[in-house]
Amino acid sequence: MRRLVHDLQISTETTLDLKGARSFPRCHDLLPPEVCSLLNPAAIYANNEISLRDVEVYGFDYDYTLAQYADALHPEIFTAARDILVEHYKYPEGIRKYDYDPSFAIRGLHYDIQKSLLMKIDAFHYVQLGTAYRGLQPVPDEEVIDLYGGTQHIPLYQMSGFYGKGPSIKQFMDIFSLPEMALLSCVVDHFLGHGLEFDQAHLYKDVTDAIRDVHVKGLMYQWIERDMEKYILRGDETFAVLSRLVAHGKQLFLITNSPFSFVDKGMRHMVGPDWRQLFDVVIVQADKPSFFTDRRKPFRKLDEKGSLHWDRITSLEKGKIYRQGNLYDFLRLTEWRGPRVLYFGDHLYSDLADLMLRHGWRTGAIIPELEREIRIINTEQYMHSLTWQQALTGLLERMQTYQDAESQQVLAAWLKERQELRCITKALFNAQFGSIFRTFHNPTYFSRRLVRFSDLYMASLSCLLNYRVDFTFYPRRTPLQHEAPLWMDQLCTGCMKTPFLGDMAHIR
């Protein structure tokens, strides 16, 4: 390097002068004022091109799709399951001291049952270092690598099934799993903190069963039914979406795992007593995802009181309620097939995966966390941090050809600051695990599934109100690495050539 700045202070305010007379723009100079409001939290984002003009039939899940729930529901689930562990599973009384922490976990994390390890994994099956927790305590990076045989890579295809349910590693994919992760971590924390021996598989199963009991015993349904104003959000917007679609001649159906009495009360609250007239088919207690793959379960008709009829189902009638069944009979009876059907749900596996992969339906993912994450992305702090990280990455790539001691010292300083900026950016979303969509630079495993199983994704169903019913969604062309886009790091370093083959010619 012909000239190196000896008093280099690396910050977003520093103008770097690394080679001869070349100087580089400062981070603030690269960000016009309007750049921090580019993303709209109420927008719909497309993974695949889709025209709503071609969609004739709209399908919906119920929980966290038609009915959006307030975060106040999570501490109720946590507390009830915690008390079930103590009272029915005879867990230590000291577990009651733990309260629900809404800032601890994020959706999409993986849990290694035998290692009691909650962690964030990227799209390439690597653990993001700094995001592995045993109980409520972080596990050092060196220990994580040692636990997996000297690598960050997790062989998920050997350790976890298609739906992320084990046998060795479980992925927490739905929003109801947030209190489950929190409780699991608290119980492990208590056992470790008090030196109590335990079988990891038994503990995991007990916590999972306690959370399940909250649902099976109807406790969650009771809380919501007692105070719908508190727990159900955006009910008027759900009504507006459904009414608008029907007014434009679209056919609607509902497939949910929830029981009819619960769905009926919620829909009456949001839509009114005649809500069933909006839907051509209503199916409750469907038992997804097996509804989409198991041909054996027949449809049963329910009467107004929820009692089952025994007659054979030869058609699915508007205004009637059906229980269980399977998708193959559904397709045969309705003839709703292929891309003219668009189904919305919040669970990437249970709601969307089979419909897209096996049946060619179009799918829309409801991701409530998206709204908050976009608001963070739109902040000046995030934009400045990300821009400088990209600049440092470009400089590191380009200047690594210089091997003298002085250059290596500067490169080490850049690597250190890049890591510090990564940690700062991560903490903007969640102090423990960061964004649900990204690790430091790669998409998360959750993001990979989101892109694979959904044509569209949005924060809530109400986002549809911002678009015409014949709107076409065009995904932005995502640049591949070999397509050499004008990345921010190239702008910062003043070099538009990638890779820097001229500088590396001496290696060959």
Side-chain angles (χ1 to χ4, degrees), residues 123-308:
F124 300 96
H125 301 190
Y126 283 81
V127 179
Q128 179 183 358
L129 295 180
T131 65
Y133 278 72
R134 183 177 288 114
L136 300 176
Q137 301 303 316
V139 178
D141 295 343
E142 298 79 11
E143 183 178 342
V144 173
I145 293 171
D146 184 61
L147 284 170
Y148 291 101
T151 179
Q152 296 169 241
H153 184 264
I154 309 294
L156 285 179
Y157 290 119
Q158 300 174 22
M159 304 175 72
S160 186
F162 176 77
Y163 296 107
K165 293 186 177 180
S168 302
I169 290 184
K170 159 75 183 289
Q171 186 179 18
F172 293 100
M173 289 296 282
D174 66 355
I175 303 172
F176 286 131
S177 65
L178 291 172
E180 182 177 357
M181 285 185 279
L183 182 59
L184 190 58
S185 299
C186 289
V187 175
V188 171
D189 183 77
H190 179 84
F191 275 74
L192 293 177
H194 289 79
L196 302 175
E197 291 187 7
F198 64 98
D199 183 284
Q200 291 95 333
H202 293 336
L203 186 148
Y204 168 76
K205 185 178 186 303
D206 290 346
V207 171
T208 301
D209 288 348
I211 291 285
R212 184 203 61 199
D213 288 347
V214 173
H215 296 274
V216 171
K217 293 179 178 179
L219 298 179
M220 187 192 77
Y221 302 142
Q222 294 171 20
W223 303 327
I224 295 173
E225 289 172 5
R226 277 201 300 262
D227 196 345
M228 292 189 182
E229 288 292 340
K230 175 182 177 181
Y231 291 113
I232 296 182
L233 307 175
R234 294 175 166 168
D236 54 339
E237 295 174 357
T238 295
F239 178 45
V241 169
L242 299 176
S243 300
R244 186 176 181 224
L245 292 175
V246 171
H248 284 85
K250 307 298 182 181
Q251 294 177 288
L252 309 184
F253 67 91
L254 169 64
I255 302 178
T256 176
N257 287 348
S258 292
F260 170 67
S261 60
F262 175 68
V263 173
D264 184 53
K265 291 183 176 69
M267 291 301 292
R268 286 173 180 270
H269 172 77
M270 292 186 289
V271 176
D274 298 326
W275 67 271
R276 280 186 283 167
Q277 296 308 310
L278 295 173
F279 291 88
D280 294 87
V281 178
V282 176
I283 300 167
V284 299
Q285 292 177 277
D287 193 26
K288 296 180 291 183
S290 64
F291 176 88
F292 301 125
T293 57
D294 190 345
R295 298 171 180 260
R296 294 171 297 177
K297 295 180 180 178
F299 285 110
R300 300 283 302 269
K301 188 184 293 185
L302 292 174
D303 62 21
E304 294 289 337
K305 298 180 179 179
S307 299
L308 287 169

Side-chain angles (χ1 to χ4, degrees), residues 304-316:
E304 294 289 337
K305 298 180 179 179
S307 299
L308 287 169
H309 289 205
W310 56 83
D311 51 319
R312 185 169 179 266
I313 303 301
T314 57
S315 64
L316 299 176

Side-chain angles (χ1 to χ4, degrees), residues 353-409:
D354 289 305
L355 295 177
M356 170 171 275
L357 298 180
R358 298 172 186 263
H359 303 284
W361 285 11
R362 310 311 292 265
T363 55
I366 305 300
I367 313 292
E369 300 95 332
L370 183 64
E371 183 173 356
R372 176 179 176 271
E373 294 231 354
I374 287 177
R375 294 193 188 282
I376 293 171
I377 290 171
N378 282 340
T379 62
E380 257 189 85
Q381 184 179 7
Y382 175 85
M383 292 302 299
H384 289 156
S385 177
L386 181 64
T387 302
W388 188 238
Q389 284 181 63
Q390 291 291 87
L392 285 172
T393 301
L395 291 168
L396 285 164
E397 181 180 42
R398 185 175 179 209
M399 298 308 169
Q400 64 184 308
T401 57
Y402 298 98
Q403 297 298 310
D404 59 279
E406 192 175 24
S407 300
Q408 290 299 306
Q409 185 178 2

Side-chain angles (χ1 to χ4, degrees), residues 3-22:
R3 177 167 163 253
L4 210 73
V5 182
H6 291 279
D7 57 347
L8 181 62
Q9 180 182 357
I10 301 173
S11 73
T12 56
E13 302 296 334
T14 303
T15 298
L16 300 179
D17 186 4
L18 299 176
K19 196 171 182 182
R22 175 175 293 166

Side-chain angles (χ1 to χ4, degrees), residues 57-62 65-66 241-242 245 251-256 279 283 288 342-345 351 461 464:
V57 184
Y58 285 76
F60 306 92
D61 181 33
Y62 180 71
T65 301
L66 289 176
V241 169
L242 299 176
L245 292 175
Q251 294 177 288
L252 309 184
F253 67 91
L254 169 64
I255 302 178
T256 176
F279 291 88
I283 300 167
K288 296 180 291 183
L342 173 56
Y343 185 79
F344 293 92
D351 290 325
L461 205 60
L464 283 170

